[in-house]
Amino acid sequence: MNRVFLKKANDHKRELLHQVCRPVRTVTFQKDETAFQGLRVQAVDNFSWPIILKPHESVILDFGDHCVGYLHFSMRTLDHIADAPLKFRFSFGEFPLEIEKNPADYQGGLGSGWLQNEERTYTFLPYTTQLERRYAFRYLKIERLEDNTPFAVAFSDMYCDCVSAVTPKTLPSVSIPDNTLRRIYDVAVKTLQDCEQDVFEDGPKRDRRLWMGDLKLQAITDFVTFKNVDLFKRCMYLFAAYPCADGRISCCLFPDSPPHNDPWKLTDYALFFGCSLYDYTQAFNDEEFLNDLYPIAFEQLKITSSFWNEKTNTLDAEFFIDWCPDLDRSVAALGVYSYALTRIGALAKRLQKEEDMAFVAAEQARVKDALMSHYDADRKLFVTPQGQISWHSQIWAVLSGLLPQADAVALLARIKDDATPFTIRTPYMMHCYIDALFAVGEKQAAMAQVVAFWGDIVEKGFDCFPEIFNPQNDFESPYGAPEINSACHAWSCTPAYWIHRYYNEGDAV
Amino acid sequence: MNRVFLKKANDHKRELLHQVCRPVRTVTFQKDETAFQGLRVQAVDNFSWPIILKPHESVILDFGDHCVGYLHFSMRTLDHIADAPLKFRFSFGEFPLEIEKNPADYQGGLGSGWLQNEERTYTFLPYTTQLERRYAFRYLKIERLEDNTPFAVAFSDMYCDCVSAVTPKTLPSVSIPDNTLRRIYDVAVKTLQDCEQDVFEDGPKRDRRLWMGDLKLQAITDFVTFKNVDLFKRCMYLFAAYPCADGRISCCLFPDSPPHNDPWKLTDYALFFGCSLYDYTQAFNDEEFLNDLYPIAFEQLKITSSFWNEKTNTLDAEFFIDWCPDLDRSVAALGVYSYALTRIGALAKRLQKEEDMAFVAAEQARVKDALMSHYDADRKLFVTPQGQISWHSQIWAVLSGLLPQADAVALLARIKDDATPFTIRTPYMMHCYIDALFAVGEKQAAMAQVVAFWGDIVEKGFDCFPEIFNPQNDFESPYGAPEINSACHAWSCTPAYWIHRYYNEGDAV
């Protein structure tokens, strides 16, 4: 652990901002095949305070928008002294299925503790309290559990003390004439806002962690929206403070006190440290920060270089690339490496590091040869050593910057006609695809993807953009349990970045 | 609500004292017909910190003594990052059955919220926290509930922040040569200590309320042990501040902010307000307090008098007398009224209230006639209008003070030979019996009762004295559920008072 960087990370720590959000109505969830996941939210008439629960009753409250924070409320009795303790189950959901699914039936692969429900006993009324755990939710179901207490309980003063490092009040005004894009932009910004906490979290419900891959996308979006530079610098210093034993940047930090890193190593995420440093340096003039972190960024290239396998023309290291079962990542990994060489090489040039620039140039030549060795001239697509054709290989081949523009355009067109099952499964990969389209000048096609993919999410009733979205399957889940999916996930926030570029940088793109 | 008295009540509020109590061993509960309730506590070898729980494991911790307070603890992982939230169930028990019984099987008549168990989720480790609810317990079972978290959790720094208004450090030294009485005295004092909180509670597990009947017994015991006069005065002022609508002292106050009273009216408890004022005045010289509260005490006599039913020679009002199903309380009620007339009359005399004294004398004459009208000269026992013979009628006839001593001695001897099912069911009524025996000079017989009844409780392994104890039935419960019984109950603390009187006031009794 590097104490200098940890101190700088903590120097950039800021108090969170608070915003009160109250329930706006009570609802039920009705079975409806035309609704997302088959559940339609139906308002209950005559909502008013207080919310009254008789024994064994329950209620579902709708807070009107996605909340990240702490539930506060008061309770009192109306018709009888509370002469015995009360027991409630509080079930929080970002979406209806999360509440409707019985936790006892959970079969997912992730820890069931992520299910957002709690039981609480209250000995005396009147009582004002808050729940200790931070929740991410729009809906809250309250069930009264205890027996033999024949009196009604009235809930009042209920609100979520919502927390975030940022507030929409500081957002720049952006003119977005298209209504669909306007709505997508707003939801994207809300997604980013709810993920900006003590660190850039991947998702405020789950996993509440600082992932380098997510940070890279959050940062570029933040730079054109909230401009919360302190939080970005805090996160970068945290990564610098807690590297892996071999010097690689951790793929993920657990931000709690004391922070600690995940032993899992993902080389694309390690390389993205330097890419984010590049993005920040492009957007802001901050020599001190660049000088602090450049050596670590460059070290990631050196480490990656050590994984060369000359026989297979690949890198013998684990890359994330995307959540996509059985994906052969080796060609995409070369594209990522080249992408990072270009950006970290630009920083080397800016800092006049001649030796580093020479290393980068030599590596780029090696990557180019390796990458092209995987190009199948007959099929006119990149094919992995396992014989796999994937969107991922083609997209990262384009993002490598090593292909002539016309070839890159053709490649992106060609993969659309291929029947490969290795297609885009996540908003994260969708971002890479749009990045590639922008890179080759296909701006209209890129914006059409934004509208098609994120517009569909908005149509389905999401308040924020989720970690996973499959238009063909509402129940898609990387964890075998859609109720545990994160419905507000930072890597899905980049439409705000693309919409901003589309409208504000115009032909400069 | 009387604001003057409420202010005085709050002027006597004191900060609680804190004492740390830590687990001393891990145990299991073994089925054993020779043990209390068929459960024997068996130590597990090799207890040491930290306590380690793997997925789906559980442990039972023994804190070594009865605790009333708040559980604090720290958690960390040993072999893996805690990459998902943890869920635990904490089950607290004053005695093993409370933990062994499945809460889902609860069939009792009291609110199930009294069962002392909680589920808690913890999102991040390491983490240090406390549980919000105050528990009364000796044993704590911790079960790890969540799925798919393949790592061990270590608990450390676990303790109960025990609270009480008093500490044994201030107890007077009492010489008690008899070992059994010494042990009974110590357990009685511990029982009282754990019930002295923001008010004198009936039981720190349940119902955590200020009952006038319990306060009367707690007060006389406190006056010879902790001498926590502030707490007594606070409680008396609270009762004075929150009378029933008809002027009667409430039988019970819920001490929380704001305090409120139970609408249930028990006339014996209303009369005991003046009896406790008398006991306090006898023990301490406090004219201001007496002058404050005497008018209310005297008013209880006036109100009781209004319940006279001349036809039946009884009082048309509800009395508690004892927990004893189907008991006809009418004769005992007359004894209670006379008992109160004597004591409040003595206060009237001290304050030279001539008119009040005349009222008391007239009422005493009327009670005497009424009481004697229920004496069955053939059976030589008091018989209620329903034709019921009970220990309660005889004991309160003696405590009325209206019988010649020889008759009273004979009466107490005679009821022992009667086969009535209306016998003593609670430590509270046992106290009244001992009070009657002391009143007629049967000091040795009284102390034999103390040894027999409370000595048996100690033998059964209780750390404090319970609300209910039937030597013939370990599962006796007023609520149809022995697991919800209170194992530390203030009305069972009076052995310390009797032992103190026995040894320290000697022949003066």
Side-chain angles (χ1 to χ4, degrees):
Chain A
M1 190 261 289
N2 183 308
R3 291 188 185 281
V4 174
F5 289 141
L6 181 59
K7 183 181 180 309
K8 292 197 179 193
N10 289 333
D11 287 347
H12 288 85
K13 188 181 177 83
R14 301 287 173 260
E15 286 290 314
L16 293 180
L17 308 176
H18 295 256
Q19 169 88 31
V20 165
C21 182
R22 297 183 190 278
V24 292
R25 56 178 188 165
T26 56
V27 297
T28 59
F29 300 143
Q30 302 293 326
K31 287 191 178 169
D32 180 347
E33 285 185 10
T34 68
F36 180 67
Q37 294 179 333
L39 292 169
R40 185 169 44 81
V41 178
Q42 175 78 47
V44 175
D45 286 344
N46 299 323
F47 173 72
S48 69
W49 293 105
I51 303 290
I52 296 172
L53 282 189
K54 293 179 187 159
H56 301 291
E57 285 187 343
S58 67
V59 66
I60 302 174
L61 298 165
D62 176 1
F63 281 66
D65 203 351
H66 190 263
C67 295
V68 177
Y70 302 89
L71 186 74
H72 291 243
F73 56 91
S74 294
M75 292 169 287
R76 66 180 196 279
T77 53
L78 295 177
D79 52 354
H80 190 290
I81 291 174
D83 57 4
L86 299 162
K87 193 161 211 159
F88 300 96
R89 184 183 297 116
F90 298 90
S91 302
F92 296 83
E94 294 182 309
F95 47 97
L97 184 73
E98 194 177 351
I99 285 176
E100 283 294 283
K101 272 265 189 176
N102 186 341
D105 297 335
Y106 175 73
Q107 295 288 335
L110 287 186
S112 60
W114 288 117
L115 296 171
Q116 300 189 106
N117 59 71
E118 297 284 338
E119 286 182 20
R120 281 288 183 285
T121 311
Y122 299 104
T123 312
F124 299 115
L125 301 191
Y127 194 62
T128 296
T129 189
Q130 70 172 91
L131 300 188
E132 187 176 359
R133 180 175 172 180
R134 200 195 73 190
Y135 292 99
F137 69 103
R138 171 168 173 169
Y139 304 103
L140 165 61
K141 182 174 187 178
I142 309 177
E143 298 165 88
R144 200 164 149 200
L145 300 181
E146 87 290 343
D147 292 313
N148 304 321
T149 45
F151 50 90
V153 175
F155 285 89
S156 60
D157 299 324
M158 180 175 283
Y159 63 93
C160 180
D161 172 24
C162 296
V163 290
S164 170
V166 291
T167 165
K169 292 173 191 163
T170 65
L171 283 174
S173 169
V174 186
S175 168
I176 305 172
D178 182 273
N179 283 341
T180 301
L181 287 180
R182 174 82 246 177
R183 176 75 186 132
I184 291 171
Y185 181 88
D186 291 342
V187 174
V189 166
K190 167 72 172 161
T191 303
L192 179 60
Q193 176 191 345
D194 282 359
C195 293
E196 294 203 23
Q197 301 290 339
D198 182 52
V199 296
F200 279 99
E201 295 182 3
D202 58 339
K205 176 171 91 185
R206 211 210 76 239
D207 303 321
R208 303 177 57 169
R209 263 169 239 164
L210 174 57
W211 288 90
M212 188 62 233
D214 302 57
L215 172 60
K216 176 174 179 287
L217 305 198
Q218 288 168 298
I220 58 171
T221 309
D222 178 82
F223 296 162
V224 296
T225 54
F226 297 109
K227 297 185 169 58
N228 186 6
V229 168
D230 279 338
L231 187 61
F232 173 75
K233 292 172 74 173
R234 167 169 167 71
C235 292
M236 291 289 280
Y237 279 125
L238 277 176
F239 275 117
Y242 291 93
C244 298
D246 70 355
R248 257 184 289 183
I249 286 293
S250 304
C251 64
C252 164
L253 290 182
F254 291 71
D256 307 285
S257 180
H260 46 278
N261 62 10
D262 196 315
W264 192 18
K265 295 183 190 73
L266 296 173
T267 301
D268 41 352
Y269 279 28
L271 291 166
F272 287 158
F273 180 83
C275 299
S276 272
L277 184 60
Y278 170 83
D279 292 336
Y280 174 74
T281 302
Q282 291 291 99
F284 303 95
N285 193 25
D286 191 339
E287 290 296 320
E288 183 190 338
F289 186 71
L290 176 59
N291 278 303
D292 266 356
L293 299 187
Y294 170 81
I296 297 171
F298 185 76
E299 189 188 359
Q300 306 308 307
L301 297 178
K302 286 276 194 182
I303 294 169
T304 306
S305 174
S306 74
F307 299 131
W308 268 114
N309 183 329
E310 300 285 357
K311 287 186 194 158
T312 58
N313 274 328
T314 59
L315 294 159
D316 284 342
E318 190 178 358
F319 282 67
F320 170 69
I321 304 299
D322 188 17
W323 174 73
C324 183
D326 302 322
L327 180 69
D328 179 357
R329 292 159 166 85
S330 49
V331 171
L334 293 171
V336 171
Y337 186 33
S338 174
Y339 176 96
L341 283 164
T342 301
R343 283 152 183 79
I344 299 168
L347 297 178
K349 188 174 177 190
R350 178 177 175 136
L351 295 173
Q352 298 176 304
K353 305 272 189 184
E354 300 295 338
E355 196 178 324
D356 294 356
M357 289 164 65
F359 172 84
V360 166
E363 286 292 288
Q364 279 287 31
R366 189 153 68 154
V367 177
K368 187 168 186 179
D369 289 347
L371 182 66
M372 294 319 294
S373 77
H374 300 295
Y375 187 71
D376 183 320
D378 294 336
R379 305 179 71 173
K380 296 185 177 172
L381 288 166
F382 286 86
V383 180
T384 69
Q386 292 176 21
Q388 201 179 83
I389 290 172
S390 69
W391 283 64
H392 306 78
S393 296
Q394 321 311 318
I395 288 168
W396 276 109
V398 170
L399 288 172
S400 74
L402 298 170
L403 308 183
Q405 173 150 340
D407 294 358
V409 171
L411 192 67
L412 291 177
R414 212 170 290 122
I415 188 63
K416 287 171 74 174
D417 296 329
D418 197 276
T420 175
F422 301 101
T423 181
I424 295 174
R425 306 286 285 267
T426 62
Y428 172 78
M429 200 61 213
M430 184 57 73
H431 166 83
C432 297
Y433 179 45
I434 291 165
D435 199 4
L437 289 169
F438 258 78
V440 300
E442 297 272 357
K443 204 162 64 171
Q444 297 303 334
M447 294 315 289
Q449 286 296 329
V450 168
V451 170
F453 187 76
W454 280 276
D456 196 7
I457 297 175
V458 169
E459 283 294 308
K460 289 277 166 70
F462 279 82
D463 302 300
C464 297
F465 289 132
E467 71 177 321
I468 200 92
F469 182 71
N470 181 346
Q472 271 72 55
N473 178 13
D474 287 355
F475 298 93
E476 179 89 81
S477 171
Y479 321 109
E483 69 270 30
I484 216 163
N485 285 2
S486 165
C488 174
H489 221 69
W491 73 9
S492 195
C493 76
T494 57
Y497 168 77
W498 295 116
I499 293 167
H500 185 275
R501 271 186 70 168
Y502 180 71
Y503 280 112
N504 286 276
E505 299 179 10
D507 292 343
V509 175
Chain B
M1 191 261 288
N2 183 309
R3 292 189 185 280
V4 175
F5 289 140
L6 181 59
K7 182 182 181 307
K8 292 198 180 193
N10 289 334
D11 287 346
H12 288 86
K13 189 181 177 82
R14 301 286 172 261
E15 287 289 314
L16 293 180
L17 308 176
H18 294 255
Q19 169 89 30
V20 165
C21 182
R22 296 182 191 278
V24 293
R25 56 179 189 163
T26 55
V27 298
T28 59
F29 299 142
Q30 302 293 326
K31 287 192 178 169
D32 179 347
E33 285 186 10
T34 67
F36 179 68
Q37 294 179 335
L39 291 170
R40 183 168 45 79
V41 178
Q42 175 79 46
V44 175
D45 286 344
N46 300 323
F47 173 73
S48 68
W49 293 104
I51 303 290
I52 296 171
L53 282 188
K54 292 177 186 159
H56 301 291
E57 284 187 342
S58 68
V59 67
I60 302 173
L61 297 166
D62 176 1
F63 282 66
D65 203 352
H66 190 262
C67 295
V68 177
Y70 303 89
L71 186 74
H72 292 241
F73 55 91
S74 295
M75 291 168 288
R76 66 179 196 279
T77 53
L78 295 178
D79 50 357
H80 190 288
I81 289 174
D83 57 4
L86 299 161
K87 193 160 211 159
F88 300 96
R89 184 182 297 119
F90 298 90
S91 302
F92 296 83
E94 294 182 309
F95 47 97
L97 185 73
E98 195 177 351
I99 286 176
E100 283 293 284
K101 272 265 189 175
N102 186 340
D105 298 335
Y106 175 71
Q107 295 289 334
L110 287 186
S112 60
W114 288 119
L115 297 172
Q116 300 188 107
N117 56 72
E118 297 284 339
E119 286 181 20
R120 280 287 182 283
T121 310
Y122 299 104
T123 312
F124 298 116
L125 300 191
Y127 194 62
T128 296
T129 189
Q130 68 171 93
L131 300 187
E132 188 176 358
R133 180 173 172 182
R134 200 195 74 190
Y135 292 100
F137 69 103
R138 172 168 171 169
Y139 304 104
L140 164 61
K141 183 175 186 176
I142 308 177
E143 299 166 87
R144 200 163 149 200
L145 301 181
E146 88 290 343
D147 291 314
N148 304 323
T149 45
F151 50 89
V153 175
F155 285 90
S156 60
D157 299 324
M158 179 175 284
Y159 63 93
C160 180
D161 172 23
C162 296
V163 289
S164 170
V166 291
T167 165
K169 292 174 191 164
T170 65
L171 283 174
S173 168
V174 186
S175 168
I176 304 171
D178 181 274
N179 283 341
T180 302
L181 288 179
R182 174 82 246 176
R183 176 74 186 132
I184 292 171
Y185 181 89
D186 290 342
V187 173
V189 166
K190 167 72 172 160
T191 303
L192 179 60
Q193 176 192 346
D194 282 359
C195 293
E196 293 202 23
Q197 300 291 338
D198 183 52
V199 297
F200 279 99
E201 295 181 2
D202 58 338
K205 175 171 90 186
R206 211 211 75 240
D207 303 322
R208 302 178 56 169
R209 265 171 238 163
L210 175 58
W211 288 91
M212 187 63 233
D214 302 56
L215 172 60
K216 176 174 179 287
L217 306 198
Q218 287 169 297
I220 57 171
T221 309
D222 177 81
F223 295 161
V224 297
T225 54
F226 297 110
K227 297 184 168 59
N228 186 4
V229 168
D230 280 338
L231 187 62
F232 173 75
K233 292 170 76 172
R234 167 169 167 71
C235 292
M236 291 289 281
Y237 279 125
L238 278 176
F239 275 117
Y242 291 94
C244 298
D246 71 354
R248 257 185 288 185
I249 287 293
S250 302
C251 65
C252 163
L253 291 182
F254 292 71
D256 307 286
S257 179
H260 45 279
N261 62 10
D262 196 315
W264 192 18
K265 296 184 190 73
L266 298 172
T267 302
D268 43 351
Y269 278 29
L271 290 167
F272 287 158
F273 180 82
C275 299
S276 272
L277 185 60
Y278 169 83
D279 292 336
Y280 174 73
T281 304
Q282 289 292 98
F284 303 96
N285 193 24
D286 191 339
E287 289 296 320
E288 184 190 337
F289 187 71
L290 176 59
N291 278 303
D292 267 359
L293 298 186
Y294 169 81
I296 297 171
F298 185 75
E299 189 188 359
Q300 306 308 307
L301 297 178
K302 286 275 194 181
I303 294 168
T304 306
S305 174
S306 73
F307 298 131
W308 268 114
N309 182 329
E310 299 285 357
K311 286 185 194 158
T312 58
N313 273 329
T314 58
L315 294 159
D316 283 341
E318 191 178 358
F319 281 69
F320 170 69
I321 302 301
D322 189 16
W323 174 73
C324 182
D326 301 323
L327 181 69
D328 180 358
R329 293 159 166 85
S330 50
V331 171
L334 294 171
V336 170
Y337 186 32
S338 174
Y339 177 95
L341 283 164
T342 302
R343 281 154 183 79
I344 299 168
L347 298 178
K349 188 174 178 190
R350 179 177 172 135
L351 295 172
Q352 297 175 307
K353 306 273 190 184
E354 300 295 338
E355 198 177 325
D356 294 357
M357 288 163 64
F359 171 84
V360 165
E363 284 291 288
Q364 278 286 29
R366 189 154 68 154
V367 178
K368 186 167 185 177
D369 288 348
L371 182 66
M372 294 318 295
S373 78
H374 299 296
Y375 187 72
D376 183 322
D378 294 336
R379 303 179 72 173
K380 296 185 174 173
L381 289 166
F382 287 87
V383 180
T384 71
Q386 293 177 19
Q388 199 180 82
I389 290 172
S390 68
W391 283 63
H392 307 76
S393 296
Q394 320 312 316
I395 288 168
W396 276 108
V398 170
L399 287 173
S400 76
L402 296 171
L403 308 184
Q405 172 150 343
D407 292 358
V409 170
L411 192 67
L412 291 178
R414 212 170 291 123
I415 189 62
K416 289 171 71 175
D417 296 330
D418 197 276
T420 177
F422 300 101
T423 183
I424 296 173
R425 305 286 284 269
T426 61
Y428 173 77
M429 199 62 213
M430 183 57 74
H431 166 82
C432 297
Y433 180 45
I434 291 165
D435 199 2
L437 288 169
F438 258 80
V440 300
E442 297 272 357
K443 205 161 65 170
Q444 297 304 332
M447 295 313 291
Q449 287 295 329
V450 169
V451 170
F453 187 76
W454 280 275
D456 197 6
I457 297 174
V458 168
E459 284 293 309
K460 289 277 165 69
F462 279 82
D463 301 301
C464 296
F465 290 132
E467 71 177 322
I468 200 92
F469 182 72
N470 180 345
Q472 270 73 54
N473 178 14
D474 287 355
F475 298 93
E476 179 89 83
S477 171
Y479 320 109
E483 69 270 31
I484 217 162
N485 285 1
S486 164
C488 174
H489 222 68
W491 74 9
S492 195
C493 77
T494 55
Y497 169 76
W498 296 115
I499 292 167
H500 184 274
R501 270 186 70 168
Y502 180 70
Y503 280 113
N504 287 275
E505 298 179 10
D507 292 344
V509 176

